């Protein structure tokens, strides 16, 4: 019988949480390795939690069948866990322990769930999209910063903006795959300009290269605005590590719409070295 992922991780000297985080989210896993050692396992738990919230957004190809209800039910299940319910799940116990110990604020995790629900309901315009990106991708990095002991509101705001920029950059890189999966994390107003709608995307509408290029250009603009809000101060070590996805965002957005890879291409050496250099030199 093949060994479970948990046993394989233990045999390789890697914790089950680290193995799950690396498998689910290699970018955030890489960045989490630069956190203070005491916060790394907490970060892996938060990365796994975020992965579960994103999974709830999948399978939306036809609103005619079930609409967003299945995803909303799944997100409500996680909301109950954050609020203390004892639902069984490998991530639930460590997550509840983080909240109970005061290492992560429940409000931050609920904000991530609010952002996912907003996407399921449909993001009307760019202000709604920005709010969802700050609460979602930004909220993940804020939670990781909190677990690392960051409490200063200005530092957390900078980390949030870096996380939101990373979310925008991720969409630039993978927009074709994300939309083809039935997810629609772009504003209805932007789709309308291209003659589309969220329902059309979920029902498998054909996306031309010109449409994808236009959407990517808009996402690059919004991601750059998040980076500008974050500024470029030399952050303290824990906050710097929590904000490292912003380095990947800067590179993804700089490559722009024309250089977006096909599918989920792995990170190149240059991206990984940029993260290391940012951590070393601020």
């Amino acid at each position: 019988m093949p060994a479970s992922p948990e046993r394989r991780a233990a045999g390789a000297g890697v914790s089950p949480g680290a193995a799950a985080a690396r498998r689910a989210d290699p970018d955030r896993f890489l960045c989490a390795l630069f956190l203070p050692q005491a916060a790394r396992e907490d970060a892996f738990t938060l990365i796994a939690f975020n992965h579960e919230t994103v999974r709830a957004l999948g399978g939306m190809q036809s609103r005619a069948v079930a609409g967003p209800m299945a995803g909303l039910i799944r997100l409500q299940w996680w909301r109950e866990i954050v609020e203390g319910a004892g639902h069984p799940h490998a991530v639930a116990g460590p997550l509840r322990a983080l909240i109970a110990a005061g290492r992560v604020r429940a409000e931050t995790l609920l904000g991530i769930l609010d952002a996912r629900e907003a996407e399921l309901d449909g993001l009307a315009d760019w202000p709604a999209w920005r709010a969802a990106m700050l609460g979602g991708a930004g909220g993940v990095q804020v939670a990781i910063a909190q677990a690392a002991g960051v409490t200063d509101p200005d530092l957390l705001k900078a980390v949030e903006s870096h996380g939101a920029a990373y979310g925008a950059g991720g969409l630039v890189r993978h927009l074709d795959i994300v939309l083809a999966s039935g997810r629609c994390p772009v504003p209805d107003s932007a789709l309308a300009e291209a003659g589309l709608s969220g329902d059309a995307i979920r029902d498998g509408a054909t996306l031309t290269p010109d449409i994808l290029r236009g959407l990517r250009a808009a996402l690059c603009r919004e991601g750059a605005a998040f980076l500008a809000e974050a500024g470029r101060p030399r952050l303290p070590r824990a906050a710097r590590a929590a904000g490292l996805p912003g380095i990947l965002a800067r590179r993804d957005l700089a490559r722009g719409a024309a250089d977006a890879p096909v599918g989920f291409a792995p990170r190149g050496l240059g991206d990984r070295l940029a993260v290391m250099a940012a951590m070393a030199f601020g």
Side-chain angles (χ1 to χ4, degrees):
M1 178 181 294
S4 68
E6 290 76 12
R7 288 189 176 182
R8 289 198 300 270
V14 177
S15 73
R22 181 169 56 188
R23 185 169 57 250
D25 196 335
D27 282 358
R28 287 192 175 94
F29 171 79
L30 169 65
C31 295
L33 295 179
F34 295 93
L35 288 163
Q37 185 172 1
R40 288 175 202 160
E41 287 297 329
D42 296 341
F44 299 149
T45 293
L46 294 166
I47 291 169
F49 164 72
N50 178 60
H51 177 63
E52 293 296 329
T53 72
V54 172
R55 284 184 62 198
L57 305 178
M60 287 295 296
Q61 280 82 351
S62 177
R63 277 186 176 246
V65 177
M69 189 56 63
L72 291 172
I73 290 172
R74 189 66 179 170
L75 291 173
Q76 176 60 31
W77 192 82
W78 280 102
R79 185 178 294 276
E80 291 168 2
I81 288 174
V82 171
E83 292 173 342
H87 301 321
H89 191 280
V91 178
L95 191 69
R96 283 190 291 261
L98 269 176
I99 299 168
R103 292 176 60 78
V104 174
R105 295 184 60 187
E107 292 82 358
T108 303
L109 304 180
L110 292 174
I112 296 170
L113 293 167
D114 288 343
R116 306 305 180 217
E117 289 178 358
E119 180 181 322
L120 285 176
D121 289 336
L123 303 168
D125 49 28
W126 284 109
W129 178 88
R130 293 183 200 109
M133 200 60 62
L134 287 166
V140 175
Q141 299 312 127
V142 169
I144 290 173
Q146 290 171 347
V150 179
T151 58
D152 182 275
D154 291 336
L155 293 178
L156 292 175
K157 184 62 180 175
V159 167
E160 179 185 58
S161 296
H162 281 299
Y166 171 72
L171 289 178
V172 170
R173 291 187 80 220
H174 305 308
L175 187 63
D176 52 342
I177 298 298
V178 171
L179 294 179
S181 75
R183 282 188 59 193
C184 193
V186 292
D188 292 340
S189 60
L191 294 173
E193 290 177 6
L196 291 170
S197 68
D199 284 343
I201 294 294
R202 284 179 281 267
D203 289 336
T206 299
L207 299 169
T208 67
D210 284 344
I211 289 174
L212 289 171
R213 192 176 300 114
L215 290 174
R216 284 190 173 111
L219 290 166
C220 284
R221 179 194 69 223
E222 295 296 331
F226 285 136
L227 288 175
E229 291 171 6
R232 301 192 70 162
R234 184 177 176 87
L235 299 174
R237 178 177 176 79
R240 194 187 322 162
L244 280 177
I247 299 302
L248 297 175
R250 194 176 299 279
R251 293 175 64 83
D252 291 340
L253 297 169
R255 282 187 282 258
D259 196 33
V262 176
F264 286 97
R267 288 285 177 188
L269 179 61
D271 286 345
R272 296 194 293 273
L273 289 176
V275 169
M276 295 170 64
M279 193 62 207
F281 304 115

